[in-house]
Amino acid sequence: MADTKLTENQLRLLLAQFLFAHDVDIEALYGALGADLSSADAEAVSHMAGIIDGVTLATSKIRAHGLDNWAKG
């Protein structure tokens, strides 16, 4: 069986779907992981914020338009 590697976009979509399916709040996730953004590298924090914004947007679109039509709305 061949290994199939996910693209970064596919991985983000799967993460958004998982978070949506389990009603996970991003802010609560950070807290549960013990993430202290005040001591993190500014560039890394900026990159993470962009990813989280994308996941949050995808999750809200999935809620509004359903899993099959989230990208159309």
Side-chain angles (χ1 to χ4, degrees):
M1 193 179 286
D3 277 342
T4 57
K5 292 190 177 188
L6 296 174
T7 66
E8 290 177 356
N9 288 337
Q10 289 170 321
L11 188 55
R12 286 184 194 114
L13 176 57
L14 287 173
L15 180 57
Q17 291 171 341
F18 176 84
L19 295 173
F20 170 74
H22 297 281
D23 200 26
V24 175
D25 177 66
I26 299 297
E27 303 275 333
L29 177 60
Y30 264 122
L33 294 173
D36 179 14
L37 300 181
S38 64
S39 64
D41 177 69
E43 187 175 331
V45 170
S46 176
H47 182 69
M48 290 288 293
I51 292 171
I52 290 170
D53 285 347
V55 169
T56 302
L57 177 62
T59 302
S60 67
K61 286 189 170 203
I62 290 169
R63 279 194 181 99
H65 304 288
L67 193 55
D68 293 332
N69 297 314
W70 74 272
K72 296 177 186 175

